[in-house]
Amino acid sequence: MSRVLFVLLAVVVIISWVLSLIPINLPDTLRLVVNVIALVGGGISIWSTVEFLRDRFVPDKSRDRRPIHISTDPKDRIDGYLSGMLTRFEKEESVFVPLPLETRIQPKYSPVAEKRDFDSIDQALELYDSRFVLIGAPGAGKSTTLRSLMRQHIRLYCDNPITAPLPLWIDLGFSRNPVDAAELIAYWWAEQSYLPDTAERYLKQNRVILFLDGLNEMPEAGAGRKARADSLRTFLEKYPDLRVIVTCRVSEYKRMEVGRASLTTSYDRDRLDLGLSVVEAKPLDMPLIRKLLANHEVDNVLINRIESDPVLLQMVENPYMLTMVIIVAKGRRTLPASLTELYRWFVFDAYNRNVRRLMFGTDDPNKRPADCYLPNRASRRNSAINVQIRLEGKALEKRLRQLAYRMIAMEKGTTAPYQWAQRQIGARALRDGINIGVLQEPDGEIRYSHESLQGFFAVERLAKALRAKPFRIGRHDRYLFTPHPKLVIGQIRALGEIGAPAVGSLCTLVGNPKLDLNLRLEAIRALQDIGSSRAVEPLIASLHDSEDWVRNTIALALGFIGDARAIDSLLAALNDPFVLVRGSAALSLGLISDLRAVEPLITSLSDPEEWVRVRAIGSLGRIGDARAIEPLIACLSDLVLDVQNSATSALRKFDTPEAQEALAKYEKGE
């Protein structure tokens, strides 16, 4: 029942009771009507309250399962575990992303230590001996790749169980995971997978390969993610030959490992680091995108529009988002205008598709249900279902937003116990979310079917939390669900482009000089990672802030966003009194690569600080304008070795006789 109707009924009941208590002369008929209304309203209110309490607190009987029968035969237990994992993967992937397995979109991969791309993850397995961290943006295909590798090793083990390692899958975001890594492995070995013998024995014999999904999803509750990651790193150092593949968001992993240390002003101590080799899932290129869209029968008009629209092109460079575009484009002859609209359409289509499948046995909206013989009856039934779906879908979406936000606010991570989730949004909403594939229920836990989905459902409430009044720094009210703003900003920052609805709230924080400096800096970095052009004007306005570090972080963020509107402000920042601001402005001008920056950057080659000169040299090399050749040659005589090295790197990008001759003389020591 809607909240408005419930309130109206409560008001009617109260008025009726008041009239019955106060001695007012009313006609008998009117008094009878009032009493009947009070009785009916009170009954409905009591019924609604009972239904609410039952939905939130009474155990869901539909979840009752038969006790798990654990065989005493070790081979049967291993076979049962492996077949169960294959069934789980198939179920998870078929409900929400209904593309055939052979047509799933796979990214390319790049080993961070080497400047080349892999067409297959198998090349990374061979290069790093099945021991590395796979990083990427949300939806880049990390978990899909990990599941594919798990399937591959299950087949290898089934074909040769004597020599092949036993694959063990571990969800690092599981809320009941122990903090200690050794206990974590033992927990998943015995209590989640029911495998025979002990994990320690298999580890010592090097007869196991670990698949660890979601390093960035580890719960903050307890010792925190950093302590969990440190324990895992210590464990891996103890077993240097252990084969292990870990997935993690690129924004959450150590910057030094992904070759981006030169693009930051400070090292983030909260970033995760396992001390392993790193492989990055790369964005898809346009030829592959066009091929995949054509294979899935997407209209050529839509393909051409994608190719000409920078916003759409940026979406489909991500494998998961490309999958969503394929699915929504099949049901429509148009494309979403924004990432938020894409997710909303995708979730609605998933709801529509699975409700039809449950009710009619088919997810084809054009196919007549089996029990409808007359065309006009089928049309009426289809129309009614669509109306019902819209109403129920909106109510379910609201509940899913509540759950996603509260999981973050209460630091549950990406999974939460089923009973806790039921108390938040009710058993019916959980069942509906599971039935349409938005939610999953692995082993009594609730999680969203994809990490970016939780962010999509939570981001608007996260943005609202940043606007809460009063702004209580450091307070975490577990009943009002107002988490610490640093936690909120960190979650929004990790969402990347999905965090676009929070841009307005973040810009308000950046422009408020009364707030804590670290919060303002985190808000700027979040805007940088989101990359929305809506943040450009507010950031430019704050580029004159009195805080040096605010100006420095903004100058860097504007370069990553890459909007040409920031050129004039960044040119002015080349004369900032703070050296780091001048260096960041020089770097950002190179990232934007506008020819208007060439002459000012050449002037910055005379800056007294080597930091600024190095940044200016790098940007001139990136822009590639011939006017910079002579000034760069002059930098080969600089007294600072770093400046000389930067100049040689920049000059190598110019394929001119003048630049090549200068480099040859420099290398000969002339």
Side-chain angles (χ1 to χ4, degrees):
M1 180 179 296
S2 70
R3 187 178 300 177
V4 174
L5 182 59
F6 185 82
V7 171
L8 289 176
L9 284 173
V11 170
V12 170
V13 171
I14 292 173
I15 293 175
S16 302
W17 285 346
V18 169
L19 291 177
S20 64
L21 293 175
I22 298 177
I24 299 178
N25 293 325
L26 293 175
D28 292 341
T29 304
L30 180 60
R31 185 175 294 277
L32 177 63
V33 170
V34 170
N35 289 335
V36 169
I37 292 175
L39 183 63
V40 173
I44 294 175
S45 300
I46 293 173
W47 174 81
S48 300
T49 303
V50 171
E51 280 294 301
F52 174 84
L53 295 175
R54 184 181 67 82
D55 189 45
R56 299 296 176 105
F57 299 102
V58 175
D60 188 358
K61 294 183 179 180
S62 65
R63 297 180 57 251
D64 291 343
R65 297 180 175 87
R66 295 179 180 178
I68 298 175
H69 173 69
I70 302 176
S71 173
T72 57
D73 184 2
K75 184 179 183 303
D76 288 344
R77 291 171 70 171
I78 293 177
D79 291 344
Y81 162 69
L82 297 179
S83 62
M85 290 304 303
L86 293 176
T87 302
R88 170 188 162 181
F89 291 161
E90 182 179 358
K91 181 180 178 181
E92 290 176 355
E93 295 176 347
S94 64
V95 176
F96 198 60
V97 185
L99 296 182
L101 182 62
E102 61 272 11
T103 63
R104 298 283 167 82
I105 299 162
Q106 293 286 349
K108 291 186 176 181
Y109 307 92
S110 174
V112 173
E114 301 186 17
K115 296 182 179 179
R116 56 172 173 153
D117 290 341
F118 292 155
D119 292 326
S120 170
I121 194 65
D122 293 335
Q123 296 171 274
L125 288 174
E126 183 178 353
L127 178 65
Y128 296 124
D129 196 23
S130 302
R131 187 179 170 93
F132 59 87
V133 178
L134 178 61
I135 62 173
K142 305 181 297 296
S143 295
T144 302
T145 301
L146 200 67
R147 283 193 291 266
S148 177
L149 292 173
M150 179 75 174
R151 287 191 185 95
Q152 177 181 328
H153 281 80
I154 288 176
R155 289 194 296 269
L156 290 174
Y157 183 84
C158 291
D159 292 340
N160 195 347
I162 298 177
T163 59
L166 176 63
L168 177 64
W169 181 277
I170 296 178
D171 287 312
L172 293 177
F174 205 64
S175 64
R176 297 198 295 267
N177 281 347
V179 175
D180 182 75
E183 296 177 5
L184 171 71
I185 307 300
Y187 171 75
W188 277 84
W189 183 277
E191 299 186 36
Q192 289 295 325
S193 307
Y194 304 105
L195 291 170
D197 213 330
T198 63
E200 186 177 5
R201 180 179 175 184
Y202 273 73
L203 288 168
K204 289 181 177 179
Q205 296 175 355
N206 199 21
R207 294 173 54 200
V208 64
I209 177 170
L210 303 180
F211 294 90
L212 311 183
D213 189 31
L215 185 68
N216 57 285
E217 300 175 14
M218 293 186 297
E220 285 285 0
R225 290 191 315 168
K226 193 67 168 58
R228 294 174 186 268
D230 290 344
S231 176
L232 188 55
R233 176 169 182 163
T234 303
F235 176 84
L236 294 176
E237 290 172 350
K238 180 180 177 182
Y239 296 96
D241 297 325
L242 174 65
R243 284 158 286 194
V244 56
I245 304 170
V246 190
T247 62
C248 184
R249 276 185 183 173
V250 63
S251 60
E252 303 284 330
Y253 205 69
K254 183 181 177 185
R255 284 188 184 271
M256 295 287 289
E257 289 291 338
V258 297
R260 295 178 181 156
S262 61
L263 304 183
T264 57
T265 57
S266 62
Y267 176 71
D268 189 348
R269 290 176 298 176
D270 293 334
R271 292 186 182 274
L272 308 172
D273 179 21
L274 298 182
L276 300 177
S277 300
V278 180
V279 177
E280 184 171 7
K282 304 293 287 185
L284 303 175
D285 53 30
M286 192 57 213
L288 180 57
I289 292 170
R290 176 176 283 276
K291 178 181 177 182
L292 291 167
L293 291 172
N295 288 345
H296 288 280
E297 301 179 351
V298 177
D299 192 273
N300 283 330
V301 175
L302 298 182
I303 296 177
N304 292 333
R305 184 187 163 192
I306 289 172
E307 195 167 1
S308 60
D309 189 328
V311 176
L312 290 172
L313 187 58
Q314 189 174 12
M315 284 185 199
V316 298
E317 288 177 347
N318 182 293
Y320 187 69
M321 294 177 193
L322 176 57
T323 301
M324 290 195 289
V325 169
I326 290 172
I327 292 172
V328 302
K330 285 185 176 181
R332 302 172 175 85
R333 290 300 175 185
T334 184
L335 292 169
S338 66
L339 195 59
T340 301
E341 191 173 49
L342 173 63
Y343 272 90
R344 186 168 288 115
W345 286 7
F346 187 47
V347 172
F348 177 78
D349 284 357
Y351 186 90
N352 194 343
R353 181 176 60 252
N354 286 283
V355 167
R356 288 182 181 281
R357 182 181 298 165
L358 290 171
M359 296 187 68
F360 300 141
T362 175
D363 57 5
D364 185 356
N366 299 316
K367 187 174 181 180
R368 188 175 66 194
D371 59 340
C372 294
Y373 299 98
L374 299 177
N376 58 345
R377 183 182 177 190
S379 300
R380 287 200 303 270
R381 184 164 186 174
N382 279 343
S383 176
I385 289 298
N386 280 332
V387 172
Q388 181 184 3
I389 287 170
R390 288 193 185 98
L391 295 175
E392 293 294 330
K394 287 185 177 295
L396 179 59
E397 181 180 354
K398 182 179 178 181
R399 298 284 184 90
L400 293 173
R401 290 184 185 279
Q402 291 175 350
L403 179 63
Y405 172 69
R406 292 177 182 182
M407 287 174 68
I408 293 174
M410 303 300 292
E411 299 184 5
K412 296 292 183 181
T414 56
T415 66
Y418 188 96
Q419 292 80 2
W420 180 88
Q422 180 182 346
R423 291 196 298 270
Q424 307 307 312
I425 65 172
R428 181 182 176 186
L430 290 180
R431 288 196 301 270
D432 289 346
I434 293 170
N435 287 336
I436 69 170
V438 174
L439 297 176
Q440 294 174 355
E441 185 193 2
D443 302 308
E445 299 273 314
I446 283 292
R447 64 177 298 163
Y448 285 80
S449 60
H450 194 274
E451 57 181 340
S452 62
L453 273 175
Q454 184 179 1
F456 162 72
F457 281 114
V459 65
E460 290 186 3
R461 289 179 176 266
L462 289 172
K464 186 177 180 180
L466 292 178
R467 300 192 298 269
K469 302 293 183 179
F471 199 75
R472 295 172 290 184
I473 303 298
R475 177 166 180 175
H476 180 177
D477 190 330
R478 61 180 300 169
Y479 301 106
L480 298 179
F481 305 105
T482 53
H484 192 287
K486 184 178 180 181
L487 170 65
V488 175
I489 295 172
Q491 291 292 332
I492 293 173
R493 182 181 179 187
L495 297 177
E497 300 171 39
I498 304 171
V503 167
S505 299
L506 292 169
C507 290
T508 301
L509 297 186
V510 173
N512 188 349
K514 297 181 180 179
L515 291 182
D516 178 73
L517 174 61
N518 289 325
L519 283 179
R520 298 179 68 195
L521 297 180
E522 281 298 308
I524 297 169
R525 295 184 185 113
L527 291 171
Q528 170 186 314
D529 290 342
I530 293 172
S532 173
S533 59
R534 291 193 294 125
V536 173
E537 294 295 341
L539 288 176
I540 290 175
S542 298
L543 195 53
H544 305 288
D545 196 272
S546 59
E547 287 285 353
D548 293 343
W549 286 103
V550 170
R551 299 197 308 277
N552 173 61
T553 311
I554 289 176
L556 192 63
L558 288 171
F560 276 99
I561 294 174
D563 195 303
R565 289 176 294 170
I567 290 292
D568 292 336
S569 298
L570 291 172
L571 291 176
L574 290 176
N575 299 314
D576 193 278
F578 188 42
V579 56
L580 292 181
V581 176
R582 300 199 301 274
S584 296
L587 173 61
S588 291
L589 288 168
L591 293 174
I592 299 175
S593 295
D594 193 295
L595 292 178
R596 290 175 291 172
V598 174
E599 292 295 342
L601 286 171
I602 290 175
T603 303
S604 294
L605 296 180
S606 303
D607 194 281
E609 295 291 340
E610 63 182 80
W611 170 266
V612 180
R613 300 201 298 276
V614 168
R615 296 303 188 201
I617 290 170
S619 292
L620 288 170
R622 188 175 291 110
I623 295 173
D625 191 277
R627 289 174 291 174
I629 294 177
E630 283 294 337
L632 289 175
I633 291 174
C635 290
L636 294 175
S637 303
D638 195 282
L639 298 177
V640 179
L641 182 60
D642 286 343
V643 175
Q644 297 176 23
N645 293 336
S646 298
T648 57
S649 299
L651 285 170
R652 288 193 179 97
K653 299 178 181 179
F654 292 90
D655 190 16
T656 64
E658 187 180 8
Q660 300 304 319
E661 182 181 353
L663 284 172
K665 290 182 179 180
Y666 176 78
E667 291 172 356
K668 292 179 181 179
E670 297 180 6

